[in-house]
Amino acid sequence: MSSGRTVPTRSHGLGKEGVSTTGASQVEFGDPELTARINDAMVQVEELLHTELSSGEDFLVDIVMHLTRAGGKRFRPMFALLASEFGEKPLSENVIKAAVVVEITHLATLYHDDVMDEASMRRGVPSANARWDNSVAILAGDILLAHASGLMSQLGTDTVAHFAETFGELVTGQMRETVGPRDTDPIEHYTNVIREKTGVLIASAGYLGAMHAGAAPEHIDALKNFGAAVGMIFQIVDDIIDIFSETHESGKTPGTDLREGVFTLPVLYALREDTPVGAELRDILTGPLEDDETVNHVLELLSQSGGRQAALDEVYRYMDIANAELDRLPDSTVKEALRNLATFTVKRVG
Ligand code: GRG
């Protein structure tokens, strides 16, 4: 379950007062007016992110700005902005704040996740634990949560309560992954982990964006559920790519998860297959894979299995859920943009 992702079309630039908008994806939404509106609001997100995270002692600022400046897709704040378009106050000051809260929380999880995974790179730069050390990276995640909490308190107790739940689910997902499936079915375990680790925060972006724009309760609910489904698609697709893409297509070495002993959905389906390939995989896959030859052999076995197709079927099932949630929203160019966003995520694996 590696967390690098491919990027929608975007360009980089500098926002007002020289604030770097490196992370602000200049995404094309198929409607020039909407595109301009969202991209302008993304510059505001970037400015607030920069202002908020630049406050405090220099030694803290340097470290929290390390991954902030390194970019990332800014997918979550952008989704919060799009969700706000369904309310009476789209892209309002509180919507921008909510979008920043979500991105800062996401950043905090990345600092902590990299410590747990002993990751050496993140967003194309050395991870904080690699550049400094584990203690520094953990404390950077903690100070980010302090920043997020400060902004949240300005948004009111509903937002604070929502975030208490979101934090709880994020940590539960990480803990669930750490303790492993134990007596649970491994596929159910995997599904719970990715829902909690990835789906919950994307759902939160939709919820908070729509809520702070004053959207109707049923529309807030639809955007939250759409976000949760997109999170599942996002993660399963990434896990499929980790196994079945050539390095030149994904920019990553295939089988990273396998090397780390993390068995993602295509592998779990292949492992339960009642075929010679399934039996051989069950013999080999008892822990992390050490050497390239074994990884390559397992990748070959996986390509002969039905694991990829079974995982893809799950992706399409979540795509249906995402589309059904969109159907609960009034027709608009924003709704079509969200539909395209979900389709784009799936197209990465055909
Ligand atoms: C600090 C509240 C808190 C929680 C700690 C570490 C942890 C519990 C949870 C980990 C959650 C996690 C890292 C999930 C992976 C999510 C994911 C899909 C990351 C990659 O997202 P992208 O591709 O990254 O959007 P960019 O870099 O583009 O922002």
Side-chain angles (χ1 to χ4, degrees), residues 321-342:
I321 295 173
N323 278 323
E325 294 297 336
L326 288 183
D327 289 342
R328 298 170 62 199
L329 295 167
D331 289 340
S332 69
T333 52
V334 187
K335 179 161 136 171
E336 285 327 296
L338 291 177
R339 215 182 282 286
N340 291 339
L341 208 73

Side-chain angles (χ1 to χ4, degrees), residues 3 5 72-73 76 106 108-110 112-113 116 123 145 167 170-171 174 197-198 234-235:
S3 10
R5 304 280 182 275
K73 294 178 283 300
R76 293 160 190 79
H106 170 55
T109 70
L110 299 183
H112 283 188
D113 199 47
M116 281 177 270
R123 293 182 161 175
L145 290 178
F167 282 154
L170 280 168
V171 176
Q174 186 63 47
K197 281 188 62 176
T198 307
F234 199 63
Q235 189 64 65

Side-chain angles (χ1 to χ4, degrees), residues 173-190:
Q174 186 63 47
M175 184 71 93
R176 194 187 299 283
E177 187 172 46
T178 304
V179 300
R182 296 181 304 165
D183 297 336
T184 359
D185 168 63
I187 291 182
E188 190 187 330
H189 169 80
Y190 167 92

Side-chain angles (χ1 to χ4, degrees), residues 44-64:
Q44 293 179 54
V45 165
E46 223 44 49
E47 284 173 349
L48 179 57
L49 192 62
H50 188 276
T51 312
E52 179 63 37
L53 300 187
S54 298
S55 70
E57 300 280 352
D58 286 352
F59 55 84
L60 281 171
V61 172
D62 279 353
I63 296 157
V64 296

Side-chain angles (χ1 to χ4, degrees), residues 25-347:
S25 306
Q26 301 282 300
V27 174
E28 176 54 58
F29 293 111
D31 167 12
E33 221 256 308
L34 175 67
T35 300
R37 216 166 47 234
I38 299 293
N39 285 330
D40 281 357
M42 281 306 289
V43 172
Q44 293 179 54
V45 165
E46 223 44 49
E47 284 173 349
L48 179 57
L49 192 62
H50 188 276
T51 312
E52 179 63 37
L53 300 187
S54 298
S55 70
E57 300 280 352
D58 286 352
F59 55 84
L60 281 171
V61 172
D62 279 353
I63 296 157
V64 296
M65 287 309 288
H66 173 66
L67 284 190
T68 311
R69 279 203 203 96
K73 294 178 283 300
R74 303 289 198 259
F75 171 71
R76 293 160 190 79
M78 187 174 292
F79 174 44
L81 300 184
L82 286 166
S84 83
E85 291 280 333
F86 292 92
E88 291 162 356
K89 294 166 283 176
L91 312 178
S92 65
E93 203 183 325
N94 278 356
V95 167
I96 304 289
K97 270 185 198 162
V100 171
V101 164
V102 174
E103 182 63 16
I104 294 180
T105 306
H106 170 55
L107 266 167
T109 70
L110 299 183
Y111 277 86
H112 283 188
D113 199 47
D114 288 345
V115 171
M116 281 177 270
D117 287 356
E118 298 175 25
S120 55
M121 295 293 284
R122 169 67 71 177
R123 293 182 161 175
V125 297
S127 59
N129 45 300
R131 176 156 172 198
W132 291 279
D133 59 33
N134 281 353
S135 303
V136 163
I138 291 167
L139 292 167
D142 293 344
I143 197 76
L144 283 163
L145 290 178
H147 284 290
S149 309
L151 282 176
M152 242 178 270
S153 70
Q154 299 170 28
L155 292 171
T157 46
D158 282 357
T159 304
V160 177
H162 168 79
F163 252 86
E165 217 173 290
T166 304
F167 282 154
E169 286 184 280
L170 280 168
V171 176
T172 304
Q174 186 63 47
M175 184 71 93
R176 194 187 299 283
E177 187 172 46
T178 304
V179 300
R182 296 181 304 165
D183 297 336
T184 359
D185 168 63
I187 291 182
E188 190 187 330
H189 169 80
Y190 167 92
T191 306
N192 284 332
V193 168
I194 68 167
R195 179 176 49 75
E196 291 159 337
K197 281 188 62 176
T198 307
V200 158
L201 197 54
I202 300 178
S204 173
Y207 173 86
L208 288 177
M211 200 250 278
H212 285 291
E218 67 272 24
H219 296 160
I220 300 175
D221 191 56
L223 287 156
K224 182 179 176 207
N225 296 342
F226 170 79
V230 166
M232 302 302 280
I233 296 169
F234 199 63
Q235 189 64 65
I236 300 172
V237 165
D238 223 54
D239 292 343
I240 293 174
I241 289 173
D242 181 71
I243 292 169
F244 298 102
S245 283
E246 300 294 332
T247 306
H248 63 86
E249 283 166 8
S250 66
K252 294 194 290 176
T253 315
T256 305
D257 290 331
L258 287 170
R259 283 171 213 272
E260 291 167 3
V262 176
F263 301 153
T264 57
L265 197 57
V267 181
L268 295 173
Y269 277 124
L271 276 171
R272 63 158 63 161
E273 239 176 55
D274 190 13
T275 58
V277 164
E280 195 176 344
L281 283 170
R282 283 190 289 280
D283 275 348
I284 304 174
L285 289 178
T286 50
L289 299 181
E290 312 264 307
D291 61 290
D292 288 351
E293 208 181 312
T294 317
V295 173
N296 290 337
H297 182 55
V298 168
L299 291 174
E300 177 53 34
L301 288 171
L302 288 170
S303 68
Q304 291 165 27
S305 78
R308 183 177 191 276
Q309 189 54 51
L312 263 182
D313 289 345
E314 271 301 275
V315 168
Y316 295 132
R317 194 173 69 77
Y318 284 110
M319 191 69 195
D320 288 345
I321 295 173
N323 278 323
E325 294 297 336
L326 288 183
D327 289 342
R328 298 170 62 199
L329 295 167
D331 289 340
S332 69
T333 52
V334 187
K335 179 161 136 171
E336 285 327 296
L338 291 177
R339 215 182 282 286
N340 291 339
L341 208 73
T343 309
F344 169 83
T345 312
V346 176
K347 282 223 172 105

